[in-house]
Amino acid sequence: MMIRRFAKSEDGAAMVEMTIVSTLLFALTLGFVDFGYAFYQWNAATKAVQIGARLASISDPVATNLTTAGPTTTPGAPVVAGAYGPFACSYSGTIGACTNSGTFDATNFSRIFRGDTAVTNDDACPAITGSQRPGMCHFFPGLRRDNVVITYTATGLGFQTRLGGPVPTITVSLQNRTFQFFFLQGLMGFANINMPSMLSTVTGEDLKTSAPS
């Protein structure tokens, strides 16, 4: 009799159901928060590469030999596509380098990464003061130097013996960057979702630090 009564009893059923439902609801809510933050990171990365490309187009090139890389045998003739480079400049750890024997300039890279703030030999992003221009790191907090690739490519712009060197096409992109999750990383193992390679491409302008923004 007691066993039959126990089998038919529904005492505590609501609590069990609420436990199951609240667990799913909790995971869903945290998922919305995390994916909203991932969307913010996506937008921040997009803005960072746009700012980086703009700064790169009006700053001294990171690949310093770019200014003398173009042909000069026929003054006034076009600099054809592929005439030099491309020079893809990036950090690996604390060492900066450019492909195709390009000469890497850490100060010029810092100006794109940090804007007009102080140059440091790490991933620091100093606060902006006064009329200083912000850099990529100010638009994407947590960005590291080794996430950034700055590429100078000959795409048929400019002419030989042009004052200031050839006119490159500049692409700023991100690499080796994963989305940061707070809750889902521990609950569901969302720890290594790579961010797509964000990039922005512009035409080089004055390629000197004093150029207006």
Side-chain angles (χ1 to χ4, degrees), residues 30-200:
L30 295 181
F32 278 128
V33 173
D34 256 356
F35 278 108
Y37 183 56
F39 186 66
Y40 159 77
Q41 294 174 70
W42 178 292
N43 286 335
T46 300
K47 187 62 177 179
V49 294
Q50 291 173 350
I51 292 298
R54 175 57 183 162
L55 287 173
S57 71
I58 58 172
S59 302
D60 297 320
V62 179
T64 56
N65 56 328
L66 171 68
T67 56
T68 57
T72 58
T73 54
T74 310
V79 177
V80 299
Y84 57 85
F87 303 115
C89 304
S90 62
Y91 270 92
S92 177
T94 59
I95 305 299
C98 300
T99 59
N100 289 313
S101 302
T103 305
F104 186 91
D105 189 292
T107 300
N108 295 344
F109 186 96
S110 179
R111 188 169 292 112
I112 298 168
F113 183 75
R114 299 185 182 88
D116 294 333
T117 59
V119 176
T120 61
N121 190 32
D122 52 29
D123 295 322
C125 190
I128 302 169
T129 59
S131 60
Q132 291 179 328
R133 288 180 294 192
M136 296 179 67
C137 66
H138 295 102
F139 289 88
F140 190 5
L143 187 67
R144 303 190 315 270
R145 292 180 302 175
D146 60 6
N147 295 142
V148 180
V149 181
I150 303 168
T151 305
Y152 302 89
T153 308
T155 55
L157 301 174
F159 56 88
Q160 295 186 34
T161 67
R162 173 183 177 272
L163 184 63
V167 179
T169 294
I170 304 171
T171 299
V172 176
S173 59
L174 299 185
Q175 64 177 0
N176 304 325
R177 184 73 189 185
T178 59
F179 286 107
Q180 304 298 306
F181 293 101
F182 292 109
F183 306 110
L184 297 183
Q185 178 173 339
L187 291 175
M188 301 181 183
F190 285 19
N192 298 307
I193 299 181
N194 289 323
M195 184 176 292
S197 181
M198 308 292 184
L199 61 85
S200 182

